[in-house]
Amino acid sequence: MTVQAIPQNAAPNHELPDLIWPEKSGDIPDWIYTDPRVYELEQKRIFQGATWNYVGLEVEIPKRGDFIRSYVGSVPVIVVRDLREQVRVFENRCAHRGAEFCKSYRGNSRSFVCPYHHWTYDLTGKLAGVPFRNGVDGKGGYPEDFNLSDHNLRSLNVTVLGGAIFASFSQDMPSLEDYLGPELYGEFTTIFSGRKLKMLGIHRNVLQGNWKLYQENLKDPYHATLLHTYLTTFGLFVAGNKTGIVADKDGRHSALLNAKPEGRPDNDASKAEIRSFKAAMQLADPSILEFNKEFDSPWTSSAITIWPNLILIRQLNILSLRMIVPQGPNEFMLVWTAFGYEDDSPELEQHRLRQNNIFGPGGFLGIDDNEALRFVQDGIKRSLPRHGVASLGKDVEPMDTVITDRAIRSMYKHYREVMGL
Amino acid sequence: MQAAAPNVADKATLRELRAAIEDFHCDYAAELDRGDIEKWPNFFTDDALYRVIARDNHEAGMPLCLMLCQGMGMFKDRAYAIKHTEMYAPRYVQHHVSLVRVTGFDGTHATAEANYTILETLVDEPTKLLQAGRYMDKFRLQPDGSLLLAERHCIFDSVIVSNCVVFPV
């Protein structure tokens, strides 16, 4: 048998040679959203590769032994604070027979015991004991060369920044600061400055779409200026505002930045093409859109995408994270975490809660996006293949260009490199 | 929610109240299921509180709601958004309310609980269960003898929402 040598300069995607990326700039092939082989390769090369994946907030596990369930890509993990207060992340899979042993959203424990055969792990993920290791009455039991230390939980690389916890299957990772790059690090630490956070709650929903559509959605100011009446009519994000898009040098992370004008936006010529702009619309309770300036930032909103699994949103006084959990090519789960700060006044906390009506699976805008993404996946998976178009704007253009797909294109440039497509 | 003091002595009044509350649920469900969303605020007092909250958040003491209205303005704005600004695929919804229990009555307010399920049907799709949950209600008796909701907490077991919840619970 001969093993065919792979040429050194070949794209590392020799596994999927039948998939050819279209040549035209901005064209996106349907199969990246629907092909199960692409999905599997993404899990391996992206989520289990050299990426930092958001898994939770420190405020969710304040005490020793506190844990939450979470995910890295499609892999269930446990995020735990060990007895030395160090944050640990390990696979939620017993090393014995594979049981996903932790079935609670959160809790506190001194150890993890798999309910099936009672293999017991300490809070660092080390296998601490197995029942009947030496059998009974000298009969049965594990062989002599059985070592507990060969059967620890698979442990992930962990980093914490300003209270946000990230994990990686790769042990060889740059710091999160370097991973984000200076622009995104700045936007990130505006919110995660080290100020103590307070959890307001979590929404969870399953979307019938490919996970990348969600990253695209938050890199797509075009839709934001068209789909969302709440953004356009009340000036939260509308063409004509002071806006900006920044990305890291690799093009994988980005932030859509926007400065809401005082009062409502002018009903000028730029609004004529926006069908969702309703100049006459009034709120019966306009207090929901009040903005209490709380950061030293020129932007009233910042939609940050951190590759591959996190969206960090600051919109007026809403602070929220959306963690993307892929569940096959056609479906993903979103875990929305809304938070404030420990030293918020009761009034500000109430205001954040009221304002959170805008987002989430029951939100004024959340509903728009969830539905739109589903429409896209329905269209892509059920009709004849053709390429999607993301050709707005230029790859190099002024930061304040808003009718542009350049952040989507730069993400796919990076994606193709990693995936070898 | 502050429970009204239970008046267990007068079982006849509680039975009458339960009948009135069941009638209220029927009207509420019928209005929502018909799709006339702008009539929905009429079931609430001007100062009412309405929360749709995941059971997980509720039990963990986290206040984030899927939908939150405090006062009539927010009810009207929610109804307006559903009717005029949100984009969603057309759908039928059907509310089913069962196991109504009156837990207290102090002369002006009655507290009550009930289980609910909501079925949702989209074009070219089989009907699915959108929500299973529990209402925790506080009704305020009106001068004409009718009831309005002063508080409705919809605590849903179906924590993982299938895509989105468009219409109120």
Side-chain angles (χ1 to χ4, degrees):
Chain A
M1 196 175 116
T2 55
V3 178
Q4 200 176 340
I6 300 158
Q8 282 224 307
N9 59 352
N13 72 322
H14 54 280
E15 299 165 43
L16 308 173
D18 56 313
L19 301 179
I20 314 274
W21 199 283
E23 273 181 26
K24 195 159 178 231
S25 168
D27 276 4
I28 302 173
D30 277 5
W31 42 258
I32 63 164
Y33 307 106
T34 54
D35 192 315
R37 298 171 303 162
V38 171
Y39 175 81
E40 291 302 326
L41 199 61
E42 287 169 349
Q43 293 305 311
K44 213 160 61 185
R45 296 212 179 150
I46 297 171
F47 295 100
Q48 290 151 33
T51 52
W52 280 120
N53 293 263
Y54 168 80
V55 291
L57 294 176
E58 276 200 291
V59 68
E60 296 182 85
I61 49 167
K63 298 193 297 288
R64 292 171 192 173
D66 283 349
F67 66 87
I68 54 169
R69 275 173 66 91
S70 189
Y71 294 87
V72 172
S74 61
V75 178
V77 298
I78 307 170
V79 184
V80 59
R81 189 176 294 276
D82 73 15
L83 295 176
R84 292 185 175 165
E85 307 235 325
Q86 197 179 330
V87 178
R88 307 270 185 172
V89 177
F90 33 74
E91 258 189 325
N92 187 356
R93 177 202 201 274
C94 181
H96 179 216
R97 304 302 292 272
E100 189 185 306
F101 54 87
C102 174
K103 289 291 187 186
S104 307
Y105 283 126
R106 65 185 69 78
N108 180 281
S109 185
R110 294 284 109 163
S111 61
F112 291 100
V113 182
C114 177
Y116 196 6
H117 304 89
H118 300 184
W119 279 33
T120 301
Y121 303 91
D122 71 14
L123 296 181
T124 69
K126 284 205 180 89
L127 182 61
V130 299
F132 299 120
R133 184 172 174 179
N134 300 315
V136 176
D137 297 335
K139 294 173 207 155
Y142 282 107
E144 273 180 24
D145 62 354
F146 180 87
N147 279 320
L148 292 180
S149 61
D150 291 339
H151 304 280
N152 298 331
L153 296 174
R154 187 173 286 136
S155 200
L156 281 78
N157 193 358
V158 179
T159 189
V160 179
L161 178 59
I165 307 165
F166 290 77
S168 179
F169 277 102
S170 166
Q171 296 298 327
D172 181 27
M173 285 295 294
S175 70
L176 189 58
E177 181 172 355
D178 289 344
Y179 182 75
L180 293 175
E183 293 87 357
L184 275 297
Y185 180 79
E187 285 302 317
F188 189 86
T189 50
T190 298
I191 298 167
F192 292 103
S193 58
R195 198 170 149 199
K196 284 222 162 108
L197 307 178
K198 179 169 180 191
M199 283 290 285
L200 296 180
I202 296 176
H203 299 304
R204 301 167 205 269
N205 64 334
V206 170
L207 285 88
Q208 289 78 29
N210 182 274
W211 67 274
K212 295 185 293 301
L213 291 174
Y214 212 79
Q215 284 279 358
E216 288 181 25
N217 179 262
L218 277 299
K219 292 173 181 287
D220 170 8
Y222 188 43
H223 97 280
T225 62
L226 296 166
L227 172 65
H228 301 304
T229 299
Y230 253 76
L231 290 191
T232 56
T233 302
F234 301 118
L236 305 185
F237 196 111
V238 63
N241 277 8
K242 187 171 166 235
T243 53
I245 306 174
V246 295
D248 71 316
K249 68 176 170 38
D250 294 316
R252 56 195 166 171
H253 323 300
S254 63
L256 302 189
L257 306 162
N258 175 78
K260 174 186 175 318
E262 290 293 320
R264 293 168 68 129
D266 298 329
N267 187 10
D268 60 19
S270 72
K271 307 302 183 296
E273 289 188 73
I274 307 175
R275 289 157 62 107
S276 61
F277 184 79
K278 295 183 187 294
M281 179 176 165
Q282 296 291 340
L283 288 179
D285 184 352
S287 70
I288 189 178
L289 294 181
E290 276 169 15
F291 174 53
N292 301 322
K293 187 171 162 61
E294 54 181 329
F295 301 109
D296 181 21
S297 164
W299 311 110
T300 57
S301 79
S302 153
I304 305 167
T305 61
I306 296 172
W307 183 256
N309 82 331
L310 181 65
I311 313 295
L312 170 58
I313 295 273
R314 172 167 75 81
Q315 173 60 266
L316 302 174
N317 296 107
I318 300 171
L319 304 174
S320 82
L321 297 148
R322 303 176 197 168
M323 180 175 78
I324 299 169
V325 183
Q327 298 184 327
N330 295 304
E331 191 176 283
F332 64 99
M333 180 163 65
L334 264 186
V335 181
W336 315 56
T337 301
F339 61 95
Y341 297 103
E342 198 181 71
D343 57 2
D344 282 349
S345 66
E347 294 75 24
L348 180 55
E349 182 176 313
Q350 273 306 307
H351 182 57
R352 293 196 205 277
L353 287 167
R354 287 156 62 92
Q355 216 158 56
N356 264 289
N357 271 301
I358 292 175
F359 290 133
F364 299 139
L365 264 78
I367 288 171
D368 297 343
D369 284 324
N370 295 353
E371 287 288 282
L373 264 52
R374 176 152 192 212
F375 290 6
V376 172
Q377 194 74 16
D378 282 348
I380 288 173
K381 78 179 180 208
R382 302 208 284 204
S383 28
L384 297 182
R386 61 190 290 180
H387 306 319
V389 180
S391 58
L392 285 170
K394 301 189 179 75
D395 290 338
V396 178
E397 60 193 354
M399 171 184 156
D400 64 354
T401 308
V402 69
I403 305 301
T404 180
D405 291 322
R406 78 169 185 277
I408 296 177
R409 285 194 299 274
S410 75
M411 175 179 88
Y412 281 120
K413 184 168 174 286
H414 173 72
Y415 176 84
R416 291 181 61 186
E417 283 165 18
V418 176
M419 293 285 287
L421 289 168
Chain B
M1 186 172 64
Q2 206 70 37
N7 180 353
V8 285
D10 189 354
K11 290 200 168 160
T13 307
L14 286 183
R15 262 202 300 277
E16 211 176 297
L17 261 175
R18 193 181 68 195
I21 288 170
E22 284 186 344
D23 285 349
F24 182 95
H25 287 313
C26 291
D27 294 341
Y28 182 94
E31 204 73 80
L32 276 177
D33 295 351
R34 227 188 343 256
D36 197 351
I37 184 64
E38 287 181 305
K39 292 221 174 101
W40 169 70
N42 298 338
F43 290 96
F44 295 86
T45 62
D46 275 346
D47 60 348
L49 170 64
Y50 175 77
R51 299 163 79 225
V52 181
I53 183 167
R55 183 165 172 177
D56 168 46
N57 284 334
H58 177 70
E59 292 181 350
M62 296 192 289
L64 181 71
C65 298
L66 201 62
M67 297 183 191
L68 169 66
C69 299
Q70 296 168 318
M72 190 46 64
M74 290 182 82
F75 284 88
K76 290 189 169 153
D77 289 337
R78 172 63 71 169
Y80 186 91
I82 294 166
K83 177 130 190 204
H84 299 288
T85 77
E86 290 170 10
M87 192 289 289
Y88 51 87
R91 64 200 60 212
Y92 305 134
V93 290
Q94 208 175 82
H95 290 66
H96 294 258
V97 183
S98 60
L99 305 181
V100 177
R101 289 199 309 136
V102 181
T103 53
F105 181 57
D106 64 5
T108 50
H109 289 95
T111 49
E113 295 182 16
N115 286 357
Y116 70 84
T117 49
I118 303 174
L119 304 176
E120 185 176 73
T121 312
L122 278 78
V123 172
D124 281 349
E125 285 182 36
T127 300
K128 67 165 189 261
L129 179 70
L130 180 70
Q131 282 223 324
R134 183 162 58 107
Y135 287 137
M136 289 179 66
D137 292 331
K138 186 175 202 170
F139 293 93
R140 188 177 298 156
L141 200 58
Q142 300 301 295
D144 66 356
S146 65
L147 295 171
L148 288 178
L149 279 167
E151 286 184 37
R152 166 156 279 186
H153 306 259
C154 315
I155 300 154
F156 58 95
D157 290 1
S158 27
V159 170
I160 305 271
V161 173
S162 174
N163 211 40
C164 57
V165 178
V166 175
F167 294 102
V169 174

